[in-house]
């Protein structure tokens, strides 16, 4: 069973990680491949058809030395935002779930399937959502998000005239600033919601 | 002793190159190159390809790292039963220096000749 970590703790860990590895601290988008390989010395292992075989696009091996990645995800430039989030997500597991992952016995895609089968769906969701929160907070800091939103203020004020729903507005805003962070608009929309930012 | 793949990975990281950047510069497929670094595929045989790797890693052709790169690539082609023999592996640097025209000591040469006779 995964630990039930507090959201504030996860965010704090993401901030500490950014301070340690992102230089300059306000660099956007965050160069996850460089951090993973050069700074953390994790080996990236692209595996052909990983997504088709086990229905996930990446996993951290239990010796904490490698990230196995879907080959197509790795080489497709149109999916660079997804790749960045995926790497940040696996780093989240490394930072938050080191002990749990080391205790598991998986090195291959097949081992990962067995590992997942042993988890209750609810626990697995919790495990993954913690890594997602880490990745979101790492790639999109609250401060940088506020700055980017203010930079787009005239456009946002224009959107307000046409967007009747709160989610319509946050999606429109997310779509115009997501490229700055190198993530999908869905990640930005989620951060706007989680950080309780008023548009 | 490092394998060819481990050695290149060390140099690649020291040069600040990610797997993607290294493969973009050399033209290798990332999945296959990752296998080479992990020893699942043998090192390239072609001298031209090895020179391209050395160039990408900014190795001076007079440097020890340059020579080691070629030596380890050659070791990667040696049959597994010989690689598993610690005596053979111990003498390989002497062997490579000899074929590069760098004169080993008389004692080193005698030991190498003796070992080759045994194999």
């Amino acid at each position: 069973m995964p630990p039930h970590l507090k959201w504030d703790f996860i965010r704090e860990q993401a901030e500490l990680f950014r301070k340690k590895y992102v230089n300059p601290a306000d660099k956007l988008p965050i160069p996850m491949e460089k951090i993973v390989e050069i700074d953390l010395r994790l080996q990236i292992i692209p595996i052909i058809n990983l997504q088709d075989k086990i229905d996930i696009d990446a996993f951290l091996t239990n010796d904490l030395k490698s990230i196995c990645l879907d080959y197509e995800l790795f080489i497709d430039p149109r999916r660079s935002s997804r790749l960045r989030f995926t790497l940040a997500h696996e780093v989240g597991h490394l930072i938050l779930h080191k002990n749990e992952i080391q205790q598991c016995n998986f090195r291959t895609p097949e081992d990962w399937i067995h590992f997942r089968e042993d988890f209750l769906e609810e626990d697995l969701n919790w495990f993954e959502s913690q890594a997602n929160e880490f990745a979101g907070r790492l790639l999109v800091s609250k401060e940088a998000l506020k700055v980017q939103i203010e930079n787009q203020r005239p456009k946002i004020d224009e959107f307000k005239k046409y967007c009747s729903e709160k989610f319509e507005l946050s999606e429109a805003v997310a779509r115009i600033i997501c490229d700055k962070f190198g993530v999908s608009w869905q990640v930005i929309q989620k951060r706007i919601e989680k950080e309780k930012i008023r548009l | 002793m490092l394998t060819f793949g481990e050695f290149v990975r060390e140099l690649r990281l020291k040069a600040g190159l990610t797997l993607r950047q290294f493969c973009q510069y050399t033209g290798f497929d990332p999945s296959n190159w990752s296998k080479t670094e992990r020893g699942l595929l043998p090192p390239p045989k072609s001298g031209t390809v090895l020179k391209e790797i050395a160039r990408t890693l900014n190795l001076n052709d007079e440097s020890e790292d340059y020579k080691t790169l070629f030596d380890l690539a050659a070791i990667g082609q040696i049959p597994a039963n010989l690689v598993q023999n610690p005596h053979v592996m111990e003498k390989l640097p002497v062997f490579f220096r000899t074929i590069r025209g760098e004169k080993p000591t008389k004692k080193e040469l005698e030991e190498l000749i003796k070992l080759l006779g045994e194999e």
Side-chain angles (χ1 to χ4, degrees):
Chain A
M1 180 164 163
H4 280 223
L5 304 172
K6 290 201 161 79
W7 293 123
D8 285 345
F9 173 78
I10 296 170
R11 288 163 181 224
E12 194 185 328
Q13 293 301 308
E15 295 298 334
L16 287 173
F17 186 89
R18 189 183 317 101
K19 277 184 191 142
K20 189 168 178 185
Y21 294 107
V22 182
N23 186 24
D26 57 355
K27 187 178 174 71
L28 290 177
I30 291 181
M32 282 312 298
E33 268 181 69
K34 184 190 156 290
I35 291 172
V36 162
E37 279 203 81
I38 314 291
D39 299 328
L40 300 178
R41 313 276 293 189
L42 289 171
Q43 195 157 24
I44 286 184
I45 303 178
I47 298 179
I48 293 170
N49 293 334
L50 181 71
Q51 178 84 54
D52 292 343
K53 278 183 200 161
I54 60 171
D55 198 27
I56 55 165
D57 53 20
F59 67 90
L60 177 68
T61 56
N62 71 321
D63 58 7
L64 308 176
K65 288 182 178 171
S66 312
I67 294 176
C68 295
L69 272 175
D70 182 70
Y71 176 77
E72 290 298 324
L73 172 66
F74 185 71
I75 61 162
D76 188 349
R78 293 167 302 178
R79 296 172 72 191
S80 61
S81 300
R82 176 70 209 173
L83 176 63
R84 179 175 289 102
F85 191 86
T86 295
L87 290 174
H89 173 100
E90 296 308 324
V91 169
H93 282 312
L94 177 71
I95 302 292
L96 305 173
H97 306 133
K98 194 179 273 187
N99 294 337
E100 289 73 20
I101 289 185
Q102 274 178 319
Q103 282 163 19
C104 305
N105 183 26
F106 56 81
R107 280 172 177 271
T108 66
E110 289 71 25
D111 294 339
W112 176 256
I113 293 174
H114 298 310
F115 166 74
R116 276 175 46 144
E117 281 171 353
D118 291 342
F119 257 106
L120 290 173
E121 194 63 28
E122 192 189 336
D123 286 343
L124 187 63
N125 289 342
W126 181 238
F127 196 61
E128 296 302 321
S129 64
Q130 290 177 350
N132 281 340
E133 179 64 16
F134 178 93
R137 181 72 191 198
L138 172 63
L139 299 176
V140 187
S141 76
K142 187 174 183 178
E143 296 69 31
L145 184 57
K146 279 180 171 174
V147 169
Q148 294 304 323
I149 286 172
E150 284 318 305
N151 287 346
Q152 299 292 340
R153 181 53 62 197
K155 271 191 189 170
I156 294 171
D157 288 341
E158 198 64 21
F159 290 156
K160 282 181 181 173
K161 294 177 190 168
Y162 308 106
C163 299
S164 52
E165 297 288 332
K166 186 179 149 196
F167 287 109
E168 261 184 279
L169 178 63
S170 61
E171 179 183 331
V173 173
R175 283 183 186 275
I176 58 168
I177 63 172
C178 62
D179 287 349
K180 277 275 176 195
F181 294 91
V183 297
S184 68
W185 65 264
Q186 290 92 337
V187 169
I188 297 292
Q189 188 183 40
K190 187 109 184 161
R191 295 321 305 167
I192 291 172
E193 182 195 328
K194 284 244 179 189
E195 303 290 6
K196 299 184 174 63
I197 291 177
R198 291 185 63 181
L199 297 173
Chain B
M1 188 165 70
L2 289 179
T3 64
F4 173 82
E6 289 165 343
F7 182 69
V8 175
R9 180 166 181 255
E10 282 299 318
L11 293 179
R12 174 169 73 74
L13 296 179
K14 209 166 125 189
L17 293 173
T18 62
L19 175 68
R20 178 189 307 281
Q21 289 169 325
F22 181 80
C23 290
Q24 276 169 350
Y25 297 148
T26 55
F28 289 122
D29 174 79
S31 175
N32 286 339
W33 183 255
S34 161
K35 285 177 187 163
T36 302
E37 286 193 345
R38 287 178 287 135
L40 301 176
L41 286 177
K45 287 180 186 167
S46 153
T48 312
V49 174
L50 291 169
K51 280 180 187 166
E52 180 58 25
I53 291 170
R55 193 191 62 76
T56 304
L57 297 171
N58 285 323
L59 301 184
N60 181 312
D61 58 9
E62 293 296 315
S63 68
E64 273 307 306
D65 282 347
Y66 185 91
K67 290 170 190 168
T68 305
L69 179 86
F70 279 76
D71 291 352
L72 291 177
I75 292 171
Q77 310 296 339
I78 293 172
N81 62 324
L82 289 182
V83 174
Q84 281 158 11
N85 182 332
H87 300 299
V88 172
M89 296 310 286
E90 199 178 286
K91 294 297 169 221
L92 277 177
V94 181
F95 174 70
F96 287 124
R97 271 165 50 205
T98 308
I99 57 174
R100 274 203 302 264
E102 295 170 12
K103 210 172 173 185
T105 64
K106 192 179 174 201
K107 191 176 173 227
E108 283 176 330
L109 257 186
E110 281 170 1
E111 282 175 3
L112 177 63
I113 291 164
K114 189 177 163 217
L115 183 69
L116 290 173
E118 286 168 8
E119 286 295 330

